[in-house]
């Protein structure tokens, strides 16, 4: 294949997965609406040191991830793509670094390119990599750190080695400023055992201080600046966001030790059948191929660490998929006799998965299906068919990959394509009403803009309101959620109203103008709190309810 044709196909591949579908998917609450609004407020205020959420102090994460998200909205405007641009850039640049590392380790352009495509099409990487959270940005710095260390140990001169450790420090420092100490865990866990096995511990101890000093120099200006502006940041961030989240009995998102096994398996689709062979081959080559052992350490040690930790989230093992992609590509492309049986099994897995999911959509989740409480309502036939078509496309590509032909197995890269293109259209209305409040907010845009006061009982929904109407002056009613710390400051006392005080609060504030109250009902609730005063106007969309209170003399 000619270079120009290959380049055109890669551009089309990237556009179909990472550009075209993005504007057709509404922002999800609470994550995407949160990060959209934090960056919007940072751009409006000009304060790029202290993160704020609804103008309240928000100390859950450091600042560098918000900087990247800021650039997305600066370059692409107040749009869904602008909000997600940081995550997409992080994923794409990570794929570029995987390509570079594949060329360095295996001296094969085919392995390197295959690894990048596998990486960008695995279910977990694509799902998180086009979702506006900080994890894809953190992933970029972790992959950059691991590539930098590999460059350092392969250096032939002192100058090249020093530069590699310098890059390691830059990547580690930026990772720390994106998500804190977690950014240092994966490189340390992966590098240290490998250095001991390769008898490079002495070299690591001699040169490691260069990386540590560089990371400190990168982080210090912002770290000192935020300490000067907000002296409580580091205490809260270190103790609550690290110690309590991961280790204490009351850790957030508690899950059993085996939690990441199904995540790893499902997240590896549509390349699942390559996973066992890739890991086995790396283990067999651990003594002969330093790169294979390096990648294996990068997968297994962080995976073990996060499995032991009490607090678990799907996104924590995202960095493990970079070395997995390289190992799978090396397994698939690096054999004199290709693993034909693995390719066939992979094709069958994709065929069966796509067919079963499409069948489930049509017979179980559809309003005419067998389920007692189907996911889709009457009148959503087009959405059901879009979802079924998306999974049917997955199955068809799995079937085509089984056809005779040397490189047919690579068609697995197209299995998720229709899902990526159609998922925004296939989303059930009940999911949109609970998790994608954009349509609800748009329907009330004029009412919200005309209100003197905005109240909400859910930060995720409130963030959707704030980002869409470009107002951060929202007061919170009855529940604090993730804003509890910021609302605890004395200067935020007026930003929260208890349920027992709402009648008096409304009586006082309606004298100054209209009041809008946005509520999210609990699943199964048919009406908001009956103790609320009767509103002058009501609008409801699924679990989302708006109460409008007109100004009174």
């Amino acid at each position: 294949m000619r270079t120009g044709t290959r380049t055109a196909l890669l551009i089309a591949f990237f556009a179909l997965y990472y550009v075209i579908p993005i504007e057709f998917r509404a922002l999800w609450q609470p994550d995407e609406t949160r990060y959209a609004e934090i960056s919007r407020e940072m751009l409006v205020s000009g304060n790029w040191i202290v993160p704020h959420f609804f103008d309240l102090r928000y100390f859950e994460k450091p600042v560098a991830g918000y900087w990247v998200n800021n650039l997305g909205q600066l370059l692409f405007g107040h749009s869904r793509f602008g909000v997600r641009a940081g995550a997409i850039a992080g994923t794409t640049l990570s794929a570029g670094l995987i390509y570079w590392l594949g060329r360095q380790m295996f001296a094969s352009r085919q392995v390197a390119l295959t690894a990048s495509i596998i990486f960008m099409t695995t279910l977990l990487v694509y799902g998180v990599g086009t979702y506006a959270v900080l994890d894809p940005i953190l992933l970029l710095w972790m992959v950059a750190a691991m590539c930098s260390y590999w460059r350092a140990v392969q250096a032939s001169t002192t100058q090249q080695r020093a530069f590699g450790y310098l890059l390691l420090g830059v990547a580690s420092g930026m990772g720390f400023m994106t998500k804190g100490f977690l950014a240092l865990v994966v490189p340390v866990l992966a590098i240290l055992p490998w250095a001991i096995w390769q008898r490079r511990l002495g070299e690591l101890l001699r040169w490691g201080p260069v990386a540590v000093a560089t990371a400190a120099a990168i982080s210090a200006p912002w770290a000192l600046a935020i300490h000067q502006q907000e002296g409580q940041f580091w205490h809260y961030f270190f103790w609550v966001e690290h110690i309590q989240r991961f280790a204490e009995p009351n850790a957030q998102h508690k899950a059993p030790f085996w939690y990441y096994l199904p995540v790893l398996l499902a997240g590896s689709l549509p390349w699942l059948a390559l996973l066992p062979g890739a890991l086995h081959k790396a283990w067999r080559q651990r003594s002969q191929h330093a790169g294979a052992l390096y990648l294996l350490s990068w997968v297994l040690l962080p995976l073990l660490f996060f499995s032991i930790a009490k607090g678990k989230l799907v996104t924590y093992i995202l960095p493990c998929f970079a070395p997995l992609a390289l190992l799978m590509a090396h397994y698939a492309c690096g054999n004199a006799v290709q693993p034909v049986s693995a390719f066939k099994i992979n094709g069958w897995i994709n065929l069966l998965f796509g067919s079963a999911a499409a069948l489930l959509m049509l017979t179980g989740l559809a309003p005419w299906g067998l389920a007692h409480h189907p996911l889709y309502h009457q009148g959503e036939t087009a959405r059901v068919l879009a979802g079924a078509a998306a999974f049917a496309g997955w199955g068809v590509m799995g079937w085509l990959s089984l056809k005779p032909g040397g490189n047919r197995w690579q068609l697995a890269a197209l299995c998720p394509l229709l899902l990526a293109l159609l998922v925004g259209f296939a989303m059930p209305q009940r999911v949109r009403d609970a998790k994608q409040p954009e349509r609800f907010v748009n329907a009330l845009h004029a009412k919200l803009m005309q209100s003197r006061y905005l109240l909400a009982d859910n930060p995720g929904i409130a963030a959707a309101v704030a980002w869409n109407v470009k107002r951060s002056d929202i007061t919170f009613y009855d529940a604090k959620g993730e804003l509890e710390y910021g609302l605890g400051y004395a200067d935020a006392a007026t930003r929260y109203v208890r349920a027992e005080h709402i009648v008096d609060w409304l009586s006082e504030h309606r004298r100054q103008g209209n009041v809008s109250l946005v509520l999210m009902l609990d699943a199964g609730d048919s009406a908001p709190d009956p103790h609320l005063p009767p509103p002058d106007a009501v609008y409801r969309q699924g679990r989302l309810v708006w109460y409008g209170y007109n100004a009174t003399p």
Side-chain angles (χ1 to χ4, degrees):
M1 186 182 295
R2 294 179 180 178
T3 302
T5 303
R6 184 185 295 111
T7 302
L9 288 175
L10 288 174
I11 292 173
F13 170 86
F14 177 76
L16 288 170
Y17 271 107
Y18 283 86
V19 178
I20 294 173
I22 305 305
E23 275 294 316
F24 296 104
R25 288 166 24 199
L27 298 183
W28 283 66
Q29 70 89 12
D31 294 325
E32 291 197 299
T33 55
R34 176 199 304 125
Y35 292 118
E37 176 57 15
I38 290 174
S39 285
R40 189 197 68 82
E41 291 181 33
M42 195 170 279
L43 290 170
V44 170
S45 69
N47 182 353
W48 288 44
I49 302 298
V50 183
H52 287 83
F53 193 21
F54 307 109
D55 298 326
L56 303 169
R57 296 167 182 84
Y58 192 75
F59 293 167
E60 289 202 4
K61 301 292 183 294
V63 77
Y66 303 131
W67 290 347
V68 175
N69 288 340
N70 294 355
L71 294 176
Q73 295 196 55
L74 273 175
L75 292 173
F76 301 105
H78 195 77
S79 65
R80 298 168 181 172
F81 187 84
V83 171
R84 294 169 173 141
I88 293 170
T91 306
T92 305
L93 292 173
S94 295
L97 289 172
I98 288 169
Y99 177 84
W100 176 88
L101 189 58
R103 292 291 303 271
Q104 297 298 311
M105 281 188 172
F106 304 113
S108 169
R109 179 176 296 177
Q110 182 186 12
V111 170
L113 183 58
T114 301
S116 296
I117 292 175
I118 288 175
F119 173 77
M120 296 189 77
T121 53
T122 50
L123 202 55
L124 183 65
V125 172
Y126 182 74
V128 180
T130 56
Y131 187 70
V133 287
L134 302 183
D135 299 274
I137 303 169
L138 176 64
L139 169 70
L140 169 62
W141 301 123
M142 288 184 174
V143 174
M146 296 301 292
C147 289
S148 299
Y149 180 69
W150 184 257
R151 188 184 193 282
V153 298
Q154 299 301 311
S156 57
T157 67
T158 301
Q159 185 178 7
Q160 291 175 347
R161 183 167 289 109
F163 185 63
Y165 277 98
L166 185 70
L167 291 177
L168 172 60
V170 171
S172 299
M174 291 303 298
F176 171 76
M177 287 202 299
T178 298
K179 217 169 181 182
F181 299 96
L182 180 65
L184 310 179
V185 169
V186 170
V188 170
L189 287 175
I191 288 171
L192 188 58
W194 183 86
I196 294 172
W197 183 279
Q198 295 292 311
R199 298 180 181 178
R200 288 180 173 271
L201 182 59
E203 175 190 310
L204 182 61
L205 294 176
R206 288 194 304 273
W207 286 96
V210 174
V212 173
T214 304
I218 288 288
S219 307
W222 170 75
L224 293 173
I226 197 168
H227 177 72
Q228 184 179 19
Q229 293 188 30
E230 297 291 346
Q232 292 297 313
F233 176 86
W234 288 111
H235 175 267
Y236 175 85
F237 181 67
F238 176 76
W239 185 255
V240 176
E241 290 300 312
H242 286 78
I243 304 302
Q244 290 184 7
R245 172 166 289 193
F246 288 99
E248 289 198 348
N250 62 340
Q252 299 180 44
H253 313 297
K254 293 175 68 174
F257 177 83
W258 50 263
Y259 173 82
Y260 286 117
L261 179 59
V263 174
L264 183 69
L265 296 178
S268 296
L269 288 169
W271 309 99
L272 177 58
L274 303 184
L275 181 60
L279 294 174
H280 183 253
K281 181 179 180 180
W283 179 252
R284 284 190 294 104
Q285 293 184 338
R286 65 189 184 278
S287 299
Q288 297 83 28
H289 198 299
L293 182 62
Y294 187 73
L295 297 173
L296 195 62
S297 180
W298 184 356
V299 174
L300 297 181
L301 274 299
L303 185 63
L304 178 62
F305 170 81
F306 289 120
S307 296
I308 293 172
K310 292 184 181 295
K312 296 178 176 68
L313 283 175
V314 169
T315 55
Y316 290 167
I317 65 165
L318 185 63
C320 298
F321 281 79
L324 274 177
L326 282 161
L327 290 175
M328 286 192 280
H330 179 49
Y331 171 65
C333 304
N335 293 311
V337 179
Q338 290 190 337
V340 177
S341 61
F343 295 155
K344 288 185 177 180
I345 293 172
N346 198 60
W348 277 108
I349 288 174
N350 287 319
L351 172 59
L352 294 174
F353 171 76
S355 301
L359 187 63
L360 176 64
M361 293 287 295
L362 293 172
T363 63
L365 305 181
W368 58 81
L370 302 176
H372 292 295
H373 301 286
L375 185 61
Y376 290 88
H377 297 304
Q378 295 292 337
E380 293 190 275
T381 301
R383 289 176 182 153
V384 174
L385 294 178
F391 287 112
W394 191 307
V396 168
M397 285 301 164
W399 174 69
L400 290 176
S401 71
L402 290 168
K403 297 293 182 180
N407 294 317
R408 289 280 185 148
W409 64 273
Q410 296 177 2
L411 290 174
L414 299 180
C415 284
L417 181 57
L418 276 183
L419 183 61
L421 291 170
L422 295 177
V423 66
F425 302 100
M427 201 62 59
Q429 190 58 53
R430 67 169 59 186
V431 174
R432 295 186 183 203
D433 289 344
K435 289 295 183 180
Q436 297 180 322
E438 199 171 316
R439 191 169 69 92
F440 172 80
V441 176
N442 289 338
L444 294 167
H445 192 276
K447 299 289 187 183
L448 296 170
M449 291 296 293
Q450 294 166 7
S451 296
R452 174 65 178 84
Y453 293 100
L454 299 178
L455 283 85
D457 70 344
N458 180 285
I461 304 300
V465 172
W467 186 75
N468 277 273
V469 304
K470 301 181 182 180
R471 286 182 60 177
S472 54
D473 58 332
I474 296 180
T475 300
F476 288 86
Y477 163 67
D478 194 33
K480 297 180 180 180
E482 63 188 287
L483 302 172
E484 184 172 5
Y485 180 80
L487 288 168
Y489 279 79
D491 58 7
T494 60
R495 301 292 300 279
Y496 177 69
V497 183
R498 296 181 181 275
E500 57 267 29
H501 299 155
I502 188 63
V503 174
D504 293 337
W505 189 94
L506 282 170
S507 177
E508 176 185 348
H509 288 78
R510 290 174 71 182
R511 297 170 188 164
Q512 303 171 42
N514 295 343
V515 176
S516 283
L517 172 58
V518 177
L519 304 164
M520 183 173 182
L521 303 182
D522 292 332
D525 285 355
S526 58
D529 184 351
H531 297 98
L532 284 168
D536 296 299
V538 179
Y539 179 80
R540 180 167 179 175
Q541 191 179 103
R543 292 169 56 193
L544 300 177
V545 179
W546 170 78
Y547 273 11
Y549 295 93
N550 296 334
T552 57

